[in-house]
Amino acid sequence: MKHFKRIILWGLLSLSIQFIGFFYINNYYLAKGTSNMKIKKVEKKEEKKSNVDILVPEESQNVAVSFTGKYLAYNDEKAIDVINTLTGEKKKVEAEKGCTITYYTWLSNQNRMLIGEKMPSGNGGTVLKLTYYDAGKNEKGEIADNDGERVNLAKVNADSSIKNIATSLTNTTYVKSIQTGNRSSLYRVNIMHDINKVETRSHIIGNIKVLTREDNLLYEDITYKKIYSTEIKNPIEIPGIKNPNILGVDNEDTIYIGDKEGEKIKTIVYGNLKDSPGSWSKISLSNPVNKEDINVTGDGKVYINAKLEGILKDAKSGEEVKYEGRFLQIYKGGIASSSQGKLVKTKID
């Protein structure tokens, strides 16, 4: 019994000593090191939305918004107007000296655009070139090689212009130029800004799309109504599709192709090049629609634009989204349209 009491007393003594030690450290020793410490709450500054209306002039050409809808752009031959849709701030992006702007496109994952320009050359021809504009930095520059030297795309006939640009996440860019008679040429620009002309199966090329995750370009052969890939020898043949048209490519490299009958699309098929085209999924449209009224998004939705009703309908799920005025474009999370000359944003769930 005495031995048991002795153990209890020693235990209580040990706990008392530890308690006194912790009390001293917390209230005296550590307090000295923090007596002069000041705590400041740091908050991230965000752009505040402006109450100003973003004007979209009816005569505007090539109206397009960046991938999140933060910036809106439209252009003439000499300059592109870029407007911050949150603040209303407007910047004018001018062509390089002696050049005219023939095409531009926003990149799919950042507030940056690639611009196609042309400039007369000394021998009566034309020099095609690529420039870029970073809206976040308000910075415009020329595409240059590793030594900082300007890279011209090609020297071509005077009537040639850049008419399409397609990019992938592999930092590979494809550019289509056309001249009188719609004769087309394709150029490939890699991450090092090396430029090569692409050998194609057709001289009259329609829409072009590059896979998101791979360096693989798809292009339409207008003459023989076929679709080719730069990585596949034979054309992409899909059972039952007679006049294939490239509609889009999503973030998972699923390809969307429409079958055109007359001037309208009546059937949409989609799948991956790694799978047999005969196994691709199919959407039959009850009412054929114009190609430009079909919008494929990065997350794989296929929206049909009913312009007269102001409705976008998902051809896969049947879900509908209403918007105001004239449809402009789908961006990540929303729809851009113009109503009474002003930009309207409509959220998509």
Side-chain angles (χ1 to χ4, degrees):
M1 190 68 172
K2 290 181 180 180
H3 181 68
F4 181 70
K5 288 182 178 179
R6 186 175 299 166
I7 292 174
I8 293 175
L9 290 173
W10 279 109
L12 291 173
L13 179 62
S14 175
L15 289 173
S16 299
I17 293 172
Q18 291 180 51
F19 176 78
I20 293 170
F22 288 139
F23 182 82
Y24 172 78
I25 291 172
N26 184 63
N27 290 278
Y28 294 93
Y29 182 77
L30 291 180
K32 292 180 181 180
T34 60
S35 59
N36 295 323
M37 184 180 293
K38 295 181 180 180
I39 299 174
K40 181 179 180 181
K41 185 178 180 181
V42 178
E43 296 182 353
K44 182 181 178 181
K45 292 184 178 179
E46 297 183 357
E47 287 182 300
K48 294 182 179 179
K49 291 188 177 182
S50 171
N51 292 323
V52 301
D53 293 321
I54 307 302
L55 302 181
V56 185
E58 291 296 327
E59 67 277 10
S60 301
Q61 300 180 41
N62 307 318
V63 181
V65 295
S66 60
F67 82 114
T68 59
K70 183 176 180 180
Y71 296 95
L72 175 139
Y74 48 83
N75 79 297
D76 56 30
E77 289 186 345
K78 294 298 182 182
I80 303 170
D81 290 320
V82 178
I83 305 168
N84 186 321
T85 63
L86 301 181
T87 65
E89 184 180 16
K90 185 175 181 179
K91 300 290 185 180
K92 187 170 286 292
V93 182
E94 297 183 341
E96 298 297 308
K97 185 177 181 180
C99 293
T100 56
I101 294 170
T102 65
Y103 187 85
Y104 75 90
T105 183
W106 289 103
L107 298 185
S108 63
N109 62 343
Q110 53 185 303
N111 294 315
R112 186 182 177 105
M113 65 171 63
L114 290 178
I115 305 168
E117 303 186 30
K118 62 182 293 185
M119 177 177 63
S121 63
N123 58 2
T126 293
V127 173
L128 302 180
K129 59 191 293 187
L130 278 179
T131 58
Y132 72 89
Y133 175 68
D134 189 316
K137 298 178 180 179
N138 187 32
E139 174 184 271
K140 184 176 187 288
E142 297 183 336
I143 302 299
D145 60 22
N146 287 337
D147 296 324
E149 295 294 327
R150 183 178 68 186
V151 176
N152 291 326
L153 195 66
K155 292 183 179 180
V156 292
N157 295 337
D159 60 350
S160 296
S161 298
I162 293 174
K163 290 300 180 183
N164 205 342
I165 301 173
T167 62
S168 74
L169 294 183
T170 64
N171 290 314
T172 303
T173 299
Y174 287 89
V175 180
K176 184 183 89 168
S177 70
I178 65 171
Q179 62 186 65
T180 301
N182 288 327
R183 188 177 178 87
S184 310
S185 296
L186 294 178
Y187 302 92
R188 177 181 179 272
V189 185
N190 67 15
I191 190 173
M192 305 299 292
H193 296 161
D194 297 322
I195 299 172
N196 295 291
K197 189 173 183 179
V198 180
E199 295 296 327
T200 63
R201 304 292 187 89
S202 173
H203 294 299
I204 300 180
I205 295 171
N207 196 17
I208 64 171
K209 290 288 182 182
V210 64
L211 298 192
T212 305
R213 302 172 183 272
E214 298 180 22
D215 178 8
N216 188 348
L217 180 75
L218 306 175
Y219 62 92
E220 298 173 350
D221 177 353
I222 298 298
T223 304
Y224 295 103
K225 299 179 181 179
K226 295 183 181 296
I227 293 176
Y228 287 97
S229 159
T230 53
E231 297 299 310
I232 300 175
K233 181 178 180 181
N234 296 319
I236 300 172
E237 302 282 359
I238 303 170
I241 304 300
K242 298 179 180 179
N243 185 5
N245 285 242
I246 302 170
L247 301 177
V249 176
D250 68 20
N251 295 336
E252 300 301 321
D253 284 345
T254 300
I255 301 164
Y256 297 78
I257 293 175
D259 190 13
K260 197 172 186 180
E261 186 175 282
E263 295 300 318
K264 297 192 175 184
I265 302 293
K266 65 173 183 177
T267 304
I268 300 172
V269 292
Y270 58 97
N272 195 289
L273 284 179
K274 297 177 182 178
D275 302 324
S276 168
S279 66
W280 286 17
S281 300
K282 179 179 179 180
I283 301 172
S284 296
L285 302 178
S286 55
N287 296 308
V289 298
N290 295 322
K291 181 178 179 179
E292 58 269 22
D293 291 330
I294 302 175
N295 300 268
V296 177
T297 66
D299 57 1
K301 293 186 177 181
V302 182
Y303 284 109
I304 309 297
N305 182 23
K307 292 180 285 191
L308 295 179
E309 292 83 9
I311 294 174
L312 284 185
K313 183 176 181 179
D314 187 342
K316 291 181 180 180
S317 67
E319 295 180 356
E320 296 183 351
V321 184
K322 290 186 68 66
Y323 64 87
E324 293 181 43
R326 177 170 63 101
F327 172 80
L328 297 175
Q329 183 187 327
I330 296 176
Y331 59 89
K332 185 178 180 180
I335 302 168
S337 62
S338 65
S339 179
Q340 298 181 350
K342 299 174 183 177
L343 176 68
V344 179
K345 289 182 177 181
T346 304
K347 288 186 178 181
I348 298 177
D349 296 329

